Amino acid sequence: MSEWSEYKTLLHSLQEDILVTNTDGTIVKVSEATGKVYDVHADELLGRSVYDLEKEGLFTPLATPMVMESQERVTFVQTVADGKKLLVTGLPVFDDEGELVRVVSYSHDVTELMEIKAGMEEMTIEMERVRDELNRLKQEKEETFIGKSEEMRRVLATANQVAGVDANVLLLGESGVGKTELARRIHEKSSRAGGPFIEVNCGAIPDALFEAELFGYEGGSFTGATKGGKKGFAELAHRGTMFLDEIGELSLQNQVKVLKLIQKKSFYPVGGRKEIQSDFRLISATNKELDQAVDHKEFREDLYFRLNVVPITIPPLRERKEDITPLIHTFLDHFAARYKRKRVLSREVMHDLNTYEWRGNVRELINLLERLVVTSPNPVIYPADLPEGYRKRGEDYSKMNNFDETLAETLNRVEKDRLERAKEKFRTTTKMAEALGISQPTVVRKLKKYRIK
């Protein structure tokens, strides 16, 4: 075998991608592995210019010009025609006089590593975003339960006390008072804080799908089922807390399934034969009067008693007026910081919001404050910036602070307004009298005076 044949045999026996060019970029030697990397036959590359191959889109960037310029070893990432990524190392070869005569390059396919790196970078960014979002949500949850009023102090004291035990808790109250946030607070202060918090909106799951969502299902157990099956909420809540929100919306049929799950803490997935145990703490919530639903045979009595071990009623915002101003300041500052818009409320608007009924409770207040921060054009928010339904009392406040009417006229207007509001809220003059702190005959007389029917 000649020296060249032996050299050629050794070159092609290497499993590495090796390519040799002269100083003008012409390929003078190439291993067979190189052709496989670039998806061509190695012999087709001999005598070709790397500059022409780059123009044709075979690979880019090039090792030859980099080595020619630096006169030393270079390492870089090269992209080939099919999108693969190669880690290329270019080496200069000098003659006896120190002149650069050849450029040798070899490479390794790092496509998968590059994809993993990109994925890790995206994951890092996403984890940072999720962490920031969780911190924000945690802050909002804590801010939601500003308990200046005696009513809220009692609620929070009970929640903190019951968090340390695994007793079932039933949260009661109107929509928007913060039942979900209180459930999370109980979970986070419990020994299960390191476990999952699984929220199940019973009112949002169709009756026919409730069992599959709660208990999960085996693959192919029904039409449309995921091929590999799916874990249910009960299994996901293992060693954590399961929060059944809007539990008053469950049908009687599904109430039975929930009752059995609470009693046994075990279940069979739909289409499954293996019983699964789940150790979870149960918190339920509803805005319905469950005791009345029991009387009307709309809710199972045995399930009601299972849920109602520790009931906690969150009062509506209109019944804890002391909390409105602290909530306003807290969330106004929160949204001002989030949107980088400093905003303050005028005295008229503060009066407006403090006398509003807040049928949507804390959720309505939070939504309004965010809207005002986003839409108000000026740093100071005036009554004109309020949505239409919130302005009336601000106008009343303005009337009280001008001198277009006498003191007697102002007192009569306020008295009439109070009577009208009491008439809207209470059905009898006796209850009106109790709320207003006057006698029942006085209520009747004043209703006649102001012609309030």
Side-chain angles (χ1 to χ4, degrees):
M1 181 182 294
S2 66
E3 184 178 348
W4 165 244
S5 298
E6 183 179 2
Y7 170 77
K8 187 176 181 181
T9 301
L10 288 171
L11 179 65
H12 289 316
S13 69
L14 296 173
Q15 298 300 311
E16 300 292 341
D17 164 22
I18 297 178
L19 185 145
V20 182
T21 71
N22 59 23
T23 55
D24 64 7
T26 300
I27 299 173
V28 295
K29 293 181 178 63
V30 63
S31 68
E32 289 183 1
T34 302
K36 294 178 181 178
V37 169
Y38 298 121
D39 199 25
V40 296
H41 196 280
D43 291 341
E44 295 177 16
L45 297 175
L46 284 173
R48 296 292 306 276
S49 168
V50 291
Y51 297 102
D52 292 339
L53 294 173
E54 183 183 35
K55 290 177 182 178
E56 294 172 12
L58 191 64
F59 46 68
T60 189
L62 304 176
T64 300
M66 293 185 186
V67 173
M68 292 285 294
E69 181 179 352
S70 65
Q71 299 283 302
E72 59 184 25
R73 176 192 182 114
V74 296
T75 301
F76 59 95
V77 175
Q78 185 182 76
T79 303
V80 300
D82 61 1
K84 288 189 297 188
K85 302 292 184 181
L86 305 179
L87 183 65
V88 177
T89 298
L91 300 169
V93 178
F94 301 97
D95 61 15
D96 294 339
E97 298 178 357
E99 291 292 326
L100 192 152
V101 292
R102 294 286 187 270
V103 174
V104 178
S105 63
Y106 61 92
S107 62
H108 297 280
D109 189 343
V110 292
T111 305
E112 187 175 352
L113 290 175
M114 295 292 289
E115 290 176 351
I116 292 173
K117 179 184 177 184
M120 290 295 292
E121 290 175 350
E122 290 180 6
M123 186 181 298
T124 300
I125 294 172
E126 180 65 12
M127 288 177 66
E128 289 289 335
R129 187 195 66 77
V130 171
R131 185 180 67 180
D132 292 343
E133 182 69 10
L134 288 174
N135 288 336
R136 181 185 68 78
L137 291 174
K138 181 179 179 181
Q139 181 183 9
E140 287 187 3
K141 289 198 295 287
E142 292 175 353
E143 290 167 346
T144 302
F145 287 98
I146 294 173
K148 300 292 183 182
S149 64
E150 182 61 31
E151 295 87 348
M152 278 308 295
R153 284 201 293 268
R154 284 198 297 267
V155 166
L156 293 176
T158 303
N160 291 337
Q161 185 173 357
V162 78
V165 295
D166 266 359
N168 293 343
V169 176
L170 178 61
L171 303 180
L172 304 168
E174 298 177 2
S175 294
V177 294
K179 296 187 291 295
T180 300
E181 289 75 14
L182 187 59
R184 286 186 180 275
R185 183 186 181 102
I186 293 172
H187 168 72
E188 290 168 1
K189 289 183 174 295
S190 73
S191 60
R192 297 175 178 266
F197 177 87
I198 303 299
E199 180 180 354
V200 184
N201 189 329
C202 300
I205 304 174
D207 274 352
L209 298 178
F210 184 78
E211 182 178 7
E213 292 295 325
L214 184 63
F215 301 138
Y217 53 83
E218 298 292 333
S221 56
F222 58 88
T223 302
T226 304
K227 184 177 180 180
K230 179 183 176 183
K231 290 184 178 181
F233 294 125
E235 186 173 357
L236 293 173
H238 182 55
R239 294 181 179 173
T241 300
M242 184 163 64
F243 174 51
L244 298 181
D245 195 12
E246 304 296 347
I247 196 167
E249 302 300 325
L250 282 181
S251 65
L252 289 170
Q253 180 181 4
N254 286 328
Q255 289 174 30
V256 174
K257 297 167 185 174
V258 172
L259 177 61
K260 289 182 178 179
L261 174 64
I262 297 172
Q263 290 173 332
K264 297 179 62 180
K265 291 293 181 73
S266 64
F267 58 91
Y268 288 92
V270 175
R273 297 181 178 180
K274 180 182 179 182
E275 188 175 26
I276 297 176
Q277 300 288 329
S278 183
D279 172 26
F280 60 86
R281 194 260 180 85
L282 181 69
I283 302 176
S284 307
T286 182
N287 57 13
K288 286 189 171 184
E289 299 289 345
L290 286 189
D291 52 351
Q292 295 182 15
V294 170
D295 292 340
H296 295 143
K297 308 300 181 183
E298 296 172 353
F299 201 86
R300 292 182 61 96
E301 185 177 41
D302 47 3
L303 176 58
Y304 173 65
F305 287 127
R306 283 280 184 176
L307 301 176
N308 197 39
V309 176
V310 181
I312 301 177
T313 301
I314 306 175
L317 188 55
R318 62 183 173 276
E319 293 181 7
R320 47 187 179 99
K321 296 288 188 180
E322 305 97 309
D323 294 336
I324 295 177
T325 295
L327 282 167
I328 289 173
H329 289 312
T330 298
F331 282 100
L332 191 65
D333 291 344
H334 172 77
F335 290 122
R338 178 192 290 188
Y339 296 110
K340 296 180 173 58
R341 293 183 176 183
K342 183 64 178 176
R343 294 292 184 270
V344 295
L345 304 184
S346 65
R347 286 188 301 171
E348 293 87 351
V349 172
M350 282 296 295
H351 175 270
D352 217 23
L353 302 188
N354 271 280
T355 54
Y356 186 67
E357 290 298 315
W358 298 114
R359 294 296 175 184
N361 293 294
V362 179
R363 183 188 300 148
E364 181 185 5
L365 175 61
I366 293 172
N367 291 344
L368 175 66
L369 292 172
E370 183 173 14
R371 176 178 176 179
L372 291 175
V373 170
V374 171
T375 61
S376 60
N378 301 307
V380 180
I381 298 173
Y382 292 102
D385 298 314
L386 291 173
E388 186 65 32
Y390 297 87
R391 295 179 188 173
K392 183 176 182 298
R393 290 174 182 77
E395 294 168 358
D396 291 344
Y397 178 83
S398 298
K399 289 178 183 178
M400 292 180 66
N401 285 274
N402 63 44
F403 296 94
D404 294 336
E405 61 186 9
T406 65
L407 179 60
E409 290 172 333
T410 299
L411 293 174
N412 284 336
R413 178 168 52 78
V414 172
E415 186 175 60
K416 180 182 178 182
D417 180 73
R418 289 283 288 165
L419 286 165
E420 288 176 337
R421 298 192 188 288
K423 188 69 170 64
E424 291 174 2
K425 187 170 183 178
F426 304 104
R427 294 184 179 181
T428 66
T429 54
T430 301
K431 290 185 177 180
M432 287 177 63
E434 291 176 0
L436 295 172
I438 56 179
S439 66
Q440 189 269 347
T442 302
V443 170
V444 174
R445 177 173 55 80
K446 289 185 180 292
L447 290 175
K448 290 181 180 178
K449 173 184 175 180
Y450 296 111
R451 298 179 181 177
I452 300 173
K453 296 182 179 180

